[in-house]
Amino acid sequence: MSSFGASASAIVVLCFCLLHSTQASLHDYSAEKFANKGNVFVVHGGSEGIYSSNPNLNQSSTASSDGHSFIRFEKIIFRRPEEFSNFSSGSIHAVVFEVDDRETIGGSAYGGQRAVCCTADLAKLGVCTQGEIIHRPSTNNPGWPKVFGASFGIDELEAKLQPRTIHITKTGMYNVYFMHCDHNLKEVVVEGKTIWKNPTGYLPGRMAPLMNFYGYMSLMFVLLGIFWFSQYARFWREVLALQNCITLVITLGMFEMALWYFDYAEFNETGVRPTGITVWAVTFGAVKRTVARLIILMVSMGYGVVRPTLGGLTSKVLLLGGTFFLASEVLELVENVGTVSDFSGKARFFFVLPVAILDAFFILWIFNSLSATLNKLQARRLLAKLDIYRRFTNALAVAVIVSVGWVCYELYFKSTDVYNERWQKAWIIPAFWQVLSFSLLCVICALWAPSQNSMKYAYSDDSEEFDKDITLTLIKPSLLPTKDVRIPSEVRSTPGGDGTSNGGDVEEDKTE
């Protein structure tokens, strides 16, 4: 319990930190330090997929109106400490480019190592000025990349970048970097913000399709809920404990999909991601996934169908569920709360790994339990329950096979898309997992829908001695065939000499 309490405290602290550091579709820069990369100092200002502006719109019209796409620089200030202010400096540049034009930034002399800042060898070739950012015009996108900057005068502590709006006329993955080549400016920091907008709103391009997707998923959950709750109301006297658990999962799913839709809709409308809605959506999703896995595991063990309780396994099941919830909650908080860019950090692998391991453990435990339950049902000849369990096993097997295949595709997709050039298709990856889990939920609802025959699948006296019979058999196998066993009263009442002889044999066995 102490470890569980510590983990819960960590969740609360993480939520508190995220609530106070949330950024919007506005990319905020709060004293961001330049990092040394090769021969250049860099601050990554953001990466987003942006669709081109509506070609019928006039660029001179209001930039924030519907149909326009742009990246706007507002109140960008470069600051340096006073002790490093006794000299004038070269330019600190803002560089904006589409991912297809990445080769237009930087160069190399005689095929050597690529450099972003102009080196002495490149300067001798006359292709650039030493100490400046190397860039050349794009052949595919005239007027790009966009490079502009500001510089410090003597004793100046601030250098301001003039406000600027860059209109996007070509769909692509756009990147903003702040760069300089002066080692004397390594203590400089960046403050301010950039505003990124798509034609339909402030949602980044990769996230934009997900808003409509969650709208459709909300509708699908409503339709499933109408079916389930109507059956529940008709046969409420026949409802099993398992069916109550399924009702909970459907309800959680409805809330989760609705909250994700409102999260994206609010983000798209205002440019500010609503932290409260995002946290609630993440939490409902984590609870739903945890409860769904626990239900599948308990059903696989035969709970409520061939056994009244889980016995000594209850604590282990709850421990696995609690651990999965915490790992899933942390992962989703890190991935979603305050997320603005369309760029995934590699550091998140640290949070994905525990969830993947716990999922694998769930799968192994589920199928081991299913195998044991199926064998017992077949041995007891509980044909109705055996049939439904076989269909349930087939559905789970298909879901696992499809999941493994999709994981392989996801790994291939991400490993071959280093620069996020396929960002327009990236939304399909998270959407698929939602569709798969919803499909499995529909199958479970079809198999265990409330009906007048629901009690046929409930635990009853015909399976009361389920585990006891197997245990006794393993401890002490019967010495006589079952058909030859007679209780003493039956033996004594049997007429004839054979009956007497059999009675004597039994008495001898009992004596021995």
Side-chain angles (χ1 to χ4, degrees):
M1 286 301 292
S2 59
S3 61
F4 182 85
S7 300
S9 299
I11 288 283
V12 173
V13 172
L14 180 61
C15 288
F16 180 82
C17 294
L18 289 170
L19 285 169
H20 284 76
S21 63
T22 299
Q23 302 177 8
S25 139
L26 327 167
H27 293 248
D28 259 328
Y29 316 115
S30 302
E32 303 287 340
K33 281 193 168 186
F34 284 81
N36 186 212
K37 303 288 185 182
N39 71 338
V40 66
F41 294 87
V42 178
V43 168
H44 180 218
S47 299
E48 285 192 20
I50 302 181
Y51 292 91
S52 62
S53 299
N54 188 328
N56 298 323
L57 291 175
N58 188 341
Q59 286 192 4
S60 62
S61 62
T62 305
S64 61
S65 62
D66 289 341
H68 276 288
S69 297
F70 60 80
I71 301 173
R72 180 186 297 156
F73 291 78
E74 288 189 358
K75 301 178 182 179
I76 301 295
I77 300 174
F78 305 107
R79 299 185 189 275
R80 63 178 176 177
E82 187 174 355
E83 58 268 27
F84 294 98
S85 64
N86 59 348
F87 60 90
S88 60
S89 72
S91 292
I92 302 177
H93 295 91
V95 181
V96 186
F97 63 94
E98 201 273 326
V99 70
D100 288 341
D101 297 329
R102 60 186 179 274
E103 296 299 327
T104 63
I105 308 296
S108 61
Y110 313 111
Q113 185 176 1
R114 190 175 184 83
V116 174
C117 293
C118 186
T119 62
D121 289 336
L122 287 169
K124 290 177 182 178
L125 295 175
V127 297
C128 58
T129 302
Q130 187 172 355
E132 293 294 319
I133 300 295
I134 304 171
H135 63 93
R136 54 191 176 279
S138 169
T139 56
N140 300 321
N141 197 7
W144 289 81
K146 306 288 186 182
V147 181
F148 46 95
S151 58
F152 291 97
I154 297 176
D155 295 329
E156 288 183 348
L157 301 179
E158 296 181 355
K160 295 183 179 180
L161 201 64
Q162 292 300 314
R164 182 183 301 245
T165 298
I166 300 174
H167 293 274
I168 305 300
T169 57
K170 177 188 174 184
T171 298
M173 173 62 70
Y174 286 85
N175 301 272
V176 169
Y177 286 90
F178 299 101
M179 303 179 179
H180 71 79
C181 304
D182 192 342
H183 285 266
N184 294 321
L185 298 177
K186 58 184 178 181
E187 299 297 326
V188 171
V189 296
V190 184
E191 296 178 358
K193 64 183 178 181
T194 53
I195 301 173
W196 307 55
K197 185 178 178 298
N198 268 289
T200 56
Y202 291 97
L203 273 176
R206 180 180 59 84
M207 298 182 186
L210 288 172
M211 183 176 72
N212 292 331
F213 170 76
Y214 284 118
Y216 288 123
M217 286 301 298
S218 297
L219 177 61
M220 296 304 295
F221 264 97
V222 168
L223 294 176
L224 177 62
I226 290 173
F227 161 75
W228 182 265
F229 293 131
S230 64
Q231 292 294 105
Y232 193 99
R234 287 178 60 195
F235 304 105
W236 64 274
R237 294 181 183 275
E238 308 292 326
V239 169
L240 308 175
L242 171 62
Q243 291 164 337
N244 288 327
C245 294
I246 295 173
T247 302
L248 175 61
V249 173
I250 294 173
T251 304
L252 290 170
M254 285 181 177
F255 278 104
E256 182 195 9
M257 294 302 109
L259 285 168
W260 278 126
Y261 175 78
F262 288 122
D263 175 57
Y264 282 105
E266 179 73 11
F267 187 9
N268 189 58
E269 182 67 25
T270 64
V272 178
R273 191 154 193 183
T275 303
I277 297 178
T278 307
V279 170
W280 277 112
V282 164
T283 303
F284 271 96
V287 173
K288 186 199 76 174
R289 287 188 295 276
T290 302
V291 172
R293 282 162 174 75
L294 291 178
I295 289 174
I296 291 174
L297 178 58
M298 291 189 297
V299 169
S300 302
M301 293 176 171
Y303 172 71
V305 178
V306 295
R307 59 194 305 173
T309 66
L310 295 179
L313 295 175
T314 303
S315 58
K316 295 179 182 178
V317 170
L318 292 177
L319 178 62
L320 178 60
T323 306
F324 178 84
F325 169 75
L326 292 175
S328 181
E329 179 82 352
V330 170
L331 172 63
E332 293 298 320
L333 286 173
V334 170
E335 284 194 338
N336 292 286
V337 177
T339 297
V340 180
S341 289
D342 277 340
F343 184 76
S344 301
K346 293 182 180 178
R348 291 176 184 171
F349 176 77
F350 175 77
F351 298 101
V352 173
L353 190 58
V355 177
I357 293 173
L358 290 169
D359 260 332
F361 194 82
F362 262 115
I363 291 171
L364 290 175
W365 199 355
I366 285 169
F367 278 96
N368 281 337
S369 300
L370 272 175
S371 177
T373 303
L374 285 169
N375 288 337
K376 291 176 181 179
L377 287 171
Q378 193 164 11
R380 297 284 295 179
R381 297 184 179 276
L382 302 175
L383 300 182
K385 296 178 181 179
L386 179 63
D387 179 62
I388 199 171
Y389 263 85
R390 280 176 174 166
R391 286 186 284 172
F392 176 62
T393 303
N394 292 338
L396 281 183
V398 170
V400 170
I401 292 170
V402 172
S403 297
V404 171
W406 190 255
V407 167
C408 294
Y409 172 75
E410 187 174 343
L411 291 173
Y412 165 78
F413 184 93
K414 292 183 176 179
S415 63
T416 57
D417 189 31
V418 179
Y419 300 105
N420 291 325
E421 295 173 271
R422 297 200 292 268
W423 58 274
Q424 290 172 280
K425 299 178 181 178
W427 69 274
I428 297 174
I429 290 176
F432 173 83
W433 294 113
Q434 295 286 359
V435 171
L436 181 63
S437 62
F438 179 76
S439 301
L440 185 58
L441 179 59
C442 288
V443 171
I444 292 173
C445 288
L447 291 176
W448 273 284
S451 68
Q452 59 185 2
N453 297 321
S454 291
M455 298 308 295
K456 180 173 63 173
Y457 303 109
Y459 171 77
S460 58
D461 292 338
D462 63 354
S463 56
E464 191 176 64
E465 300 296 325
F466 200 76
D467 293 322
K468 185 178 177 182
D469 288 348
I470 301 297
T471 303
L472 291 175
T473 302
L474 290 173
I475 294 173
K476 184 179 179 180
S478 175
L479 296 175
L480 294 173
T482 304
K483 61 182 182 179
D484 292 333
V485 175
R486 302 286 193 275
I487 62 174
S489 59
E490 290 178 338
V491 173
R492 285 193 297 268
S493 62
T494 303
D498 292 340
T500 306
S501 174
N502 288 340
D505 292 340
V506 173
E507 292 297 328
E508 290 176 6
D509 289 342
K510 289 171 68 175
T511 304
E512 293 175 1

